[in-house]
Amino acid sequence: MWHDVRLIAGKDLRIEWRSQVATGQVAPFAILVLVLFGFALDADTVALRTFTGGLYWVTVLFSAVLAIQRSFALESADGNRDALRLSGIEPAAIFFGKATALVVQLVLLEVLLGAGVAVLYGPSVEDFPLLVATAGVATIGVAAAGTLYGVLAAGLRVRETILPILLLPVLAPVLIGATRAFDDALGTVAVNGWNWLALLGLTAVVYVAFGALAFGVLLEDS
Amino acid sequence: MSVVHLRAVVALLGRFPALAGVDLDVESGEAVLLQGPNGAGKTSLLRLCAGLLAPASGEAVVLGHDLGRDRRSVRREVGMLAHATFLYDDLSVYENVCFWARAAGGSPAEAEAAIARLEIDTRLRDIPVVRLSTGQRRRTSLAVLVARRPRLWLLDEPHAGLDQAGRDIVDGLVRDAVDAGATVLVASHELDRTRTIASRVITIAGGVVVADQPIPGRSMPVGPAPERGGPDVA
């Protein structure tokens, strides 16, 4: 199975590297959203610092929707969805492979956004391990849910517009948990970020488990 | 045992019966031409045999797998050339063939050999397929099929988009596959050409088989189905 996971993830990452969609479109979009948040809050540095966690994760989720749509647009073109079904690769391996490729892309995007936030909003970090752990766990949750809903949306005729409507409500727990944990890590709100991280981890486990089980059904029937 | 065994098979596209009670048996080592007008059900029959289309009713057994219960198992043993290319635009010819070969348990060496078998210009090997002509993309799709070395070949208009040399290569591939013990179903409108590689003609109309005739002078090799059935390209 892990051979197939590496095969699928490697294929997706190679295509992204070759097409430069992630670097040429998704990353600029993400930075643009950060800048627009700055405009919307009238460049109020106190407000921007206070809400850095929420603004950061909203930006990540919007950008992730683009990356997920791109990931499954590859499979919708030229009958590749049928080709994947014909390949004999276990659906769970396809799920983990595509989710892994998304995790890699999202991590790179989050690093870029982190740099953007540091420059534009000027927050201070008080608990770096919590920050990194939250980003890692939340990224796995976003990638798992995104892969599951990506294959569901890819089978529909309205796939270009339906994905955000389906996916963003499902990712609300990730947004809430990651924002609260970031608030603690950045010292903007007095909450126990590690408790929120634990809740975030539980959410990610549910998404991964459900995705691995349900992906094959959705690949077949949607 | 038949490689393809269908009895009163009905398959639906939405509510439309694309196959409306098909009876068909295809033995190991046969090359069968499927002919019929547009919308007759040729492509649906190939997709059913590939495990991509579920039977709504009837008895459908392909390579020993009951399609009503287990379509995934049959997919590992069939290769399909469809109207769609089954290729990733941003990957090169080699990367596409290698990816699908490895997904089927093959090796990069088999991918290289398949590309050589299709006589794809070596200068095109590392070019993203999005930049290739229709004919070269078709050859790449055929190379994927060869690299997978299926036991059952399902070819939908295999000569479409190919030049004369490419068409000759397709004919050679079918003959080699049959010689190696594989079974081939070819849906085609190019009847004169395909009759030279097939041993039997099935006519489909309205989702049912309306005629089943051997081609005079073409013998039907019968033997046990191989583990992997394509031409030995490695």
Side-chain angles (χ1 to χ4, degrees):
Chain A
M1 175 166 162
W2 296 113
H3 164 271
D4 292 339
V5 172
R6 284 199 304 273
L7 194 64
I8 296 286
K11 180 263 294 177
D12 276 16
L13 291 172
R14 188 184 296 268
I15 289 173
E16 285 313 317
W17 178 255
R18 188 75 48 78
S19 66
Q20 299 287 304
V21 169
T23 52
Q25 294 176 27
V26 179
F29 169 78
I31 294 295
L32 191 61
V33 172
L34 279 188
V35 172
L36 289 175
F37 278 141
F39 290 156
L41 293 172
D42 203 20
D44 179 342
T45 51
V46 175
L48 286 171
R49 277 183 198 148
T50 304
F51 299 118
T52 289
L55 299 178
Y56 177 87
W57 282 107
V58 166
T59 307
V60 168
L61 294 195
F62 284 170
S63 307
V65 169
L66 292 185
I68 293 159
Q69 275 182 324
R70 165 69 181 162
S71 175
F72 284 93
L74 302 175
E75 312 302 348
S76 300
D78 273 332
N80 290 329
R81 188 185 177 94
D82 278 345
L84 267 185
R85 293 162 69 196
L86 277 172
S87 70
I89 297 176
E90 286 296 320
I94 300 173
F95 169 80
F96 283 116
K98 292 196 79 69
T100 300
L102 275 173
V103 164
V104 172
Q105 293 175 68
L106 290 176
V107 164
L108 294 175
L109 181 73
E110 287 165 16
V111 169
L112 177 71
L113 282 176
V117 161
V119 171
L120 295 171
Y121 302 171
S124 58
V125 178
E126 294 190 357
D127 190 342
F128 191 71
L130 175 60
L131 196 80
V132 172
T134 300
V137 174
T139 301
I140 291 170
V142 171
T147 303
L148 185 62
Y149 280 79
V151 73
L152 172 64
L156 305 173
R157 282 190 301 156
V158 290
R159 54 180 164 265
E160 291 85 2
T161 49
I162 197 73
L163 181 63
I165 297 169
L166 293 175
L167 181 60
L168 290 175
V170 176
L171 289 179
V174 175
L175 175 67
I176 295 167
T179 299
R180 291 292 172 273
F182 258 44
D183 285 343
D184 186 22
L186 299 175
T188 54
V189 178
V191 293
N192 187 333
W194 291 99
N195 284 347
W196 281 102
L197 176 61
L199 189 64
L200 197 59
L202 185 64
T203 307
V205 167
V206 170
Y207 288 167
V208 169
F210 191 67
L213 292 173
F215 189 86
V217 177
L218 295 175
L219 184 66
E220 288 293 323
D221 295 336
S222 64
Chain B
M1 187 178 184
S2 299
V3 170
V4 176
H5 172 76
L6 308 178
R7 284 291 174 276
V9 170
V10 173
L12 304 174
L13 293 178
R15 292 181 179 175
F16 174 72
L19 300 177
V22 169
D23 294 318
L24 179 65
D25 281 288
V26 179
E27 303 301 325
S28 176
E30 274 194 285
V32 176
L33 165 62
L34 302 175
Q35 66 174 17
N38 290 333
K42 303 186 296 296
T43 298
S44 295
L45 179 57
L46 293 180
R47 288 177 62 80
L48 178 100
C49 292
L52 291 173
L53 183 62
S57 64
E59 183 183 353
V61 180
V62 174
L63 293 165
H65 304 288
D66 184 345
L67 297 182
R69 286 184 296 188
D70 178 18
R71 287 185 288 143
R72 280 195 190 140
S73 297
V74 78
R75 292 173 185 164
R76 296 190 182 94
E77 302 178 59
V78 305
M80 186 170 185
L81 182 75
H83 293 292
T85 64
F86 292 172
L87 301 173
Y88 292 103
D89 281 349
D90 292 303
L91 296 184
S92 70
V93 169
Y94 172 73
E95 288 166 341
N96 266 292
V97 179
C98 195
F99 171 75
W100 292 115
R102 291 179 66 198
S107 66
E110 284 176 302
E112 292 274 18
I115 292 170
R117 178 69 180 85
L118 267 294
E119 299 179 16
I120 295 172
D121 191 329
T122 51
R123 291 170 298 179
L124 302 178
R125 179 185 178 279
D126 297 317
I127 301 284
V129 296
V130 71
R131 296 191 200 158
L132 300 183
S133 68
T134 301
Q136 293 294 351
R137 288 165 71 93
R138 196 70 169 165
R139 285 194 190 210
T140 307
S141 298
L142 281 159
V144 170
L145 190 71
V146 170
R148 286 173 55 91
R149 298 181 63 192
R151 292 174 61 195
L152 175 60
W153 293 48
L154 303 165
L155 309 178
D156 201 351
E157 300 291 352
H159 300 104
L162 291 174
D163 57 15
Q164 189 58 44
R167 290 166 176 233
D168 291 342
I169 290 171
V170 169
D171 295 349
L173 284 176
V174 171
R175 291 191 183 100
D176 289 351
V178 169
D179 288 345
T183 307
V184 184
L185 268 63
V186 187
S188 179
H189 291 294
E190 300 201 32
L191 305 183
D192 290 340
R193 175 156 209 122
T194 314
R195 276 171 176 271
T196 65
I197 54 175
S199 54
R200 186 174 152 203
V201 183
I202 306 282
T203 305
I204 301 176
V208 296
V209 173
V210 295
D212 184 347
Q213 299 169 311
I215 296 177
R218 290 197 55 78
S219 61
M220 187 198 79
V222 177
E227 284 297 308
R228 294 181 75 191
D232 191 0
V233 294

